Amino acid sequence: MLTWQFAGGSSGKLPQWRCLWLAQVSAISLRKGRWHEGGSHRTEQTCVSAIDLDINIHVRKRR
């Protein structure tokens, strides 16, 4: 899953775009608060081969 990670544990700096393998994700929870959106990613991702859901916050804001 290509995600915008803004908090939690990470081996790199945050926030940043991250490829997460769902089978290896644990201890997740919903949080209250505002929506965090990532900036446009400028490098081609290599972790997603089939897209089931693409949420584009800039499209939702125009409605």
Side-chain angles (χ1 to χ4, degrees):
M1 177 171 69
L2 182 62
T3 62
W4 177 250
Q5 184 179 358
F6 62 91
S10 174
S11 59
K13 67 176 188 167
L14 294 177
Q16 69 173 329
W17 285 101
R18 302 282 308 252
C19 287
L20 299 179
W21 303 104
L22 292 181
Q24 298 174 1
V25 174
S26 62
I28 62 171
S29 62
L30 294 176
R31 60 179 290 281
K32 292 184 178 184
R34 67 180 185 86
W35 177 267
H36 289 260
E37 62 183 81
S40 63
H41 51 92
R42 292 175 177 82
T43 57
E44 184 176 343
Q45 63 83 19
T46 58
C47 62
V48 178
S49 59
I51 298 171
D52 291 324
L53 179 62
D54 182 2
I55 299 173
N56 292 294
I57 192 72
H58 66 283
V59 174
R60 286 189 343 160
K61 286 182 179 178
R62 283 188 270 172
R63 292 184 184 165

